Amino acid sequence: MRLPIIRKNIISLGLAALILSFALPVTAEQTVNEGVAQNSIKSIDVSTIQNGDIVAKLTLEQPLDKAPLGVSLNNPSRIYFDFQNIANGLGKSLQETNEGDLRSINIVQVGDRTRLVLNLAKLMSHETQLNDNVLLIKLNPMAEKPKAVTPARFIEDMPRKETNSLRDIDFRRGASGEGRVEVDLLQAGTGIDVSQQGDNLIVEFAKTSLPNNLQRKLDVVDFATPIHTIETITQGDNVRMIVKANGRWEHSARQADTRFILEVRTLTDNEEELAKKRRVNGGYTGERLSLNFQNVEVRAVLQVIADFTNLNIIASDSVSGNLTLRLKDVPWDQALDIVLQANGLDKRKTGNVIFVAPRKEMAERELLDLESQLQISEMEQLQTEVFHLNHRRANSMSFEGMLSKRGKINLDEISNTVTVTDIPFNLAEVGKRIQKLDVFERQVMIEARIVEASETFSRNLGARFGVQNVSGVGNNNLGISGNLTGSSGLAGGNAVSRGLTDLNVNLPAAAGIGLAGGPAALGLSLMKINNGRMINLELSALETDTKGRVIATPRVVTAHGVEALIEQGDRVPYQQATSSGATSIRFMDATLSLRVKPLITHDNQIDMELNVNQDKIGKAVSQFLPPAINTKKVTTKVLVDNGGTVVIGGIFERNEAEVVNKLPLLGDIPVLGHIFRNTAKQDDKRELLVFVTPRILNEKLDLR
């Protein structure tokens, strides 16, 4: 029916030639490939045995020397086998099975190698058995205990009685410049989870220990790969590996036996172009095509798109109708969406198969599947399981939305257990959540250093000068002394005791505050006069240089995300008048405190909310008022490396003063004016710094 319609609407022969140009090279390549390989896969039969296991039977043209090694992958769940020098003799690349959790089988041949991919609904273990030219692949549900012959599994969380361990961590540079992290494990079947968080790849090894010599951070930037650093740490019962990469890259991971390999490679120009195309075309990446149809059947348009893309398009019987469209140079996936939207259709894609049906029919079919699953869950027998928590409190965990209508959960705070009654699937989901959340809460020791440095400098210069003498003026005597009493005594012929009051100029250097003794002094007798009288001069000077440092170091240990407080100090009582006139005793705190809430990031940095306070008791203002509190406080939020130190605050004070006491006019005389004046200088400096150093502790509460 399609060809007459195409002729009726005068579809150009160029479209047919384009389709053929896509088809002919593929056929030629297959012919060449089949000629290279001597052996081939003739048939694949899938069946389900009595115990629920799935068996895939591969019949080959010639016997195999040994069974191929299977590799398990997750996201999506699949198992693949590589056959060397074996061709694909099935004549197709996809085989639908729908046997249990085995959805389909892909057979892809590249050169003389054929890859067999088992697409699974969920991850399963597998066994292989080789009988002459027949290869049996047995798939087992993961709930069963793995057997000794089971190959390695990737990203599988399996409970083990004994604890696995990492034996070695190595880094290599691939031939194409990719970074390869190779990890040797003590045992096979380790549960491994790989996730991307920003520029970091987080690899979790479940229930695995880490030797001390491997607990380190590797800097591999010199290898010229996308990977810059690899850090391996212990977190609860697991081992976490943090791989930091830069640029545009993609990663792949695989596990074979006891070796886990993580590869990170830089995106090629074509891949960059594909990503750019996806951004420009609104997420569409298909090859561009042009369509021009007038009143053509929808099925015919779908056939044309299928021939152009080499995809398998299955249309429901209810897909009908005609349409007219003209599309020029648009991606084929966008053209397909346009055709579906114009006719009220919807699609579901599985591998290289696209199923097309009306939206209502598609929704009804999916609703029917959900209702069937719901009915099965409602009829399934309930089971009860008790989960014991080691690190978390039972009441701190939430399981909302994880249970069915018949499910029940009981949290026992005394025994710290969670009792769940529900269908087996929900029990497994609850167990997975508990396993992920019930881990050792990493702890941090935060140390704050409050350094208060002070420096005081003072200089004081002064002099004392005095003259004592008596002279005759006519019949009277004239006395000269430092004060009126001394001069009268001298004039009357009385002896005057020598002391401070005998000096005419008395401006000595002042004694330092809080210092024992007085300033240094130098006394001179300049001249002797008759009757034992002297002219005296005393120079005095004082220079004080004081340095002090006060260090307070509060430290506290707390868990990830838990606020901690440590404080030390005094509670100062004071009286306070009440409304009735009586007095009551109140208290005011003057403490040194550290309040902190740390959050440990995935790259082992610590994000902290800090409150550092240092109070000292000051002078009392009144007996009815509280004393003055000298407060030094810092409140901030910082991000610090593990073991790093950061200055979160600082205050610098400086006081300068100069005081001159002198006699007018005489104190201004050059050189001699120092005898008639006193000079005091003071320079006080005070600086306050607050340092914070966080350190992550291991499970033994030792510093990492």
Side-chain angles (χ1 to χ4, degrees):
M1 182 181 292
R2 181 174 62 89
L3 293 178
I5 296 177
I6 295 177
R7 295 190 185 97
K8 181 179 178 181
N9 293 280
I10 315 176
I11 296 179
S12 64
L13 296 177
L15 180 60
L18 180 62
I19 297 174
L20 292 175
S21 64
F22 279 95
L24 290 177
V26 175
T27 305
E29 183 180 358
Q30 291 178 350
T31 304
V32 173
N33 292 335
E34 292 177 356
V36 174
Q38 298 179 356
N39 200 356
S40 63
I41 301 174
K42 293 300 182 181
S43 64
I44 301 177
D45 298 322
V46 181
S47 60
T48 303
I49 59 181
Q50 188 175 1
N51 60 354
D53 296 341
I54 302 173
V55 178
K57 179 181 177 182
L58 276 72
T59 304
L60 296 95
E61 185 177 359
Q62 301 178 9
L64 293 177
D65 297 333
K66 61 178 181 179
L69 179 64
V71 179
S72 301
L73 301 176
N74 192 22
N75 193 23
S77 300
R78 58 180 59 173
I79 303 173
Y80 70 84
F81 300 84
D82 286 338
F83 298 86
Q84 297 293 335
N85 298 323
I86 296 178
N88 179 15
L90 300 176
K92 57 182 179 180
S93 60
L94 177 67
Q95 180 171 332
E96 297 286 346
T97 59
N98 292 324
E99 289 283 346
D101 293 328
L102 179 59
R103 299 303 189 210
S104 60
I105 301 177
N106 291 101
I107 308 96
V108 181
Q109 180 181 352
V110 179
D112 60 347
R113 186 184 68 173
T114 298
R115 170 167 292 186
L116 179 71
V117 183
L118 306 180
N119 300 312
L120 308 175
K122 59 182 179 180
L123 195 63
M124 306 176 68
S125 61
H126 64 276
E127 304 173 10
T128 57
Q129 182 178 352
L130 182 61
N131 295 325
D132 198 16
N133 65 332
V134 177
L135 176 65
L136 299 178
I137 303 174
K138 185 180 179 181
L139 303 178
N140 312 105
M142 292 302 300
E144 296 185 2
K145 184 177 180 179
K147 301 182 180 179
V149 296
T150 304
R153 300 169 183 84
F154 173 60
I155 311 181
E156 177 186 351
D157 193 2
M158 298 180 57
R160 305 185 63 91
K161 296 181 180 180
E162 67 275 9
T163 302
N164 201 352
S165 177
L166 270 62
R167 295 191 302 180
D168 190 22
I169 300 175
D170 195 10
F171 178 81
R172 300 178 184 274
R173 186 179 188 274
S176 302
E178 69 274 12
R180 181 182 300 170
V181 183
E182 300 180 357
V183 181
D184 287 336
L185 302 166
L186 183 63
Q187 302 169 357
T190 304
I192 307 176
D193 183 38
V194 182
S195 61
Q196 181 176 350
Q197 299 178 358
D199 293 335
N200 298 337
L201 283 172
I202 309 298
V203 184
E204 291 278 355
F205 299 88
K207 296 184 179 181
T208 306
S209 60
L210 181 65
N212 293 330
N213 62 324
L214 298 180
Q215 189 168 334
R216 60 193 177 184
K217 185 175 184 180
L218 301 178
D219 190 348
V220 295
V221 67
D222 294 337
F223 287 85
T225 68
I227 301 177
H228 280 201
T229 59
I230 305 168
E231 186 175 7
T232 310
I233 60 175
T234 300
Q235 187 173 18
D237 297 334
N238 305 335
V239 174
R240 170 172 290 187
M241 177 181 290
I242 304 170
V243 181
K244 187 174 183 180
N246 289 346
R248 296 184 61 85
W249 48 267
E250 67 174 7
H251 73 279
S252 62
R254 61 182 184 272
Q255 182 182 359
D257 200 17
T258 59
R259 173 163 290 233
F260 171 79
I261 300 176
L262 175 67
E263 289 186 355
V264 180
R265 69 177 185 90
T266 304
L267 295 178
T268 62
D269 295 339
N270 294 334
E271 293 167 338
E272 288 277 2
E273 185 67 23
L274 185 63
K276 182 179 179 180
K277 185 186 299 183
R278 186 180 289 109
R279 294 191 299 267
V280 173
N281 299 327
Y284 297 104
T285 60
E287 295 291 333
R288 296 181 177 272
L289 57 79
S290 299
L291 299 176
N292 188 358
F293 295 110
Q294 299 289 331
N295 194 24
V296 65
E297 290 186 357
V298 176
R299 290 178 173 271
V301 178
L302 295 178
Q303 182 63 41
V304 172
I305 296 177
D307 293 339
F308 181 80
T309 59
N310 236 0
L311 293 176
N312 301 310
I313 298 180
I314 301 175
S316 174
D317 294 337
S318 55
V319 176
S320 61
N322 298 347
L323 80 162
T324 299
L325 77 162
R326 184 177 185 274
L327 301 176
K328 185 177 181 180
D329 197 23
V330 298
W332 70 262
D333 45 355
Q334 184 179 7
L336 179 60
D337 286 346
I338 293 174
V339 172
L340 298 180
Q341 293 174 5
N343 292 269
L345 304 176
D346 201 355
K347 70 175 188 298
R348 296 292 184 268
K349 185 177 181 181
T350 304
N352 64 341
V353 178
I354 299 177
F355 179 74
V356 178
R359 288 197 185 97
K360 185 177 180 181
E361 180 181 341
M362 189 78 71
E364 291 177 351
R365 192 172 293 181
E366 293 178 348
L367 180 61
L368 183 61
D369 293 339
L370 293 176
E371 290 178 350
S372 301
Q373 296 177 5
L374 182 61
Q375 291 177 1
I376 294 174
S377 64
E378 291 178 352
M379 298 171 58
E380 193 171 0
Q381 185 178 1
L382 300 180
Q383 298 181 7
T384 302
E385 189 171 352
V386 180
F387 300 93
H388 296 270
L389 304 182
N390 298 321
H391 306 286
R392 294 284 299 272
R393 299 294 180 184
N395 56 3
S396 66
M397 302 186 68
S398 175
F399 304 96
E400 184 178 358
M402 299 187 63
L403 303 181
S404 63
K405 295 181 180 179
R406 300 184 297 161
K408 297 181 180 179
I409 189 168
N410 181 36
L411 306 178
D412 189 4
E413 299 182 4
I414 298 177
S415 60
N416 201 32
T417 58
V418 179
T419 304
V420 184
T421 301
D422 209 335
I423 60 178
F425 177 80
N426 291 342
L427 291 179
E429 293 298 318
V430 172
K432 291 180 181 179
R433 171 168 290 189
I434 292 177
Q435 185 178 10
K436 290 183 178 181
L437 299 181
D438 185 28
V439 295
F440 172 76
E441 290 288 350
R442 307 176 71 183
Q443 301 189 41
V444 186
M445 184 182 68
I446 297 96
E447 179 181 2
R449 295 173 63 89
I450 306 173
V451 181
E452 186 175 359
S454 60
E455 182 178 350
T456 302
F457 175 81
S458 63
R459 176 182 295 168
N460 205 323
L461 302 176
R464 298 192 297 178
F465 177 76
V467 177
Q468 290 183 343
N469 196 10
V470 78
S471 303
V473 181
N475 296 327
N476 299 320
N477 294 329
L478 176 62
I480 300 175
S481 182
N483 52 43
L484 181 60
T485 303
S487 62
S488 299
L490 290 174
N494 300 324
V496 180
S497 61
R498 300 183 180 275
L500 296 176
T501 59
D502 298 335
L503 302 178
N504 300 82
V505 180
N506 189 12
L507 296 173
I513 300 175
L515 298 179
L522 175 65
L524 301 174
S525 296
L526 302 180
M527 187 180 296
K528 181 178 180 182
I529 309 176
N530 58 346
N531 297 328
R533 307 300 182 182
M534 305 291 292
I535 298 178
N536 299 324
L537 175 64
E538 183 184 82
L539 303 177
S540 58
L542 175 67
E543 182 172 313
T544 306
D545 192 1
T546 304
K547 296 182 180 180
R549 185 173 66 175
V550 179
I551 300 177
T553 308
R555 66 178 62 180
V556 64
V557 177
T558 183
H560 166 78
V562 179
E563 184 179 275
L565 171 66
I566 183 173
E567 62 179 356
Q568 178 194 8
D570 301 320
R571 300 196 70 192
V572 184
Y574 65 95
Q575 290 185 342
Q576 187 180 42
T578 61
S579 58
S580 61
T583 59
S584 62
I585 302 298
R586 297 293 182 90
F587 294 88
M588 178 174 289
D589 294 334
T591 61
L592 170 66
S593 65
L594 170 64
R595 187 188 301 271
V596 61
K597 183 178 181 181
L599 296 175
I600 305 175
T601 63
H602 291 284
D603 55 352
N604 278 343
Q605 291 184 314
I606 300 100
D607 188 359
M608 298 180 294
E609 296 180 3
L610 283 166
N611 191 330
V612 182
N613 191 68
Q614 186 181 29
D615 296 338
K616 293 182 180 180
I617 303 174
K619 296 181 179 179
V621 180
S622 172
Q623 62 176 346
F624 299 106
L625 295 176
I629 303 296
N630 301 326
T631 301
K632 302 177 182 68
K633 185 175 182 180
V634 179
T635 302
T636 185
K637 182 177 181 181
V638 293
L639 181 65
V640 191
D641 292 331
N642 179 29
T645 301
V646 61
V647 181
I648 64 172
I651 300 175
F652 180 78
E653 296 180 74
R654 183 171 184 175
N655 295 323
E656 294 181 318
E658 182 176 358
V659 180
V660 178
N661 298 316
K662 63 182 179 179
L663 294 176
L665 299 179
L666 297 179
D668 298 330
I669 300 176
V671 183
L672 294 178
H674 291 283
I675 302 175
F676 303 98
R677 66 173 180 258
N678 174 282
T679 304
K681 292 184 179 180
Q682 186 172 356
D683 189 3
D684 297 338
K685 300 177 183 178
R686 185 179 301 272
E687 186 173 11
L688 175 68
L689 296 174
V690 181
F691 303 86
V692 174
T693 303
R695 295 181 176 91
I696 301 176
L697 306 179
N698 56 21
E699 295 185 41
K700 300 180 180 179
L701 299 183
D702 298 327
L703 295 177
R704 294 189 57 246

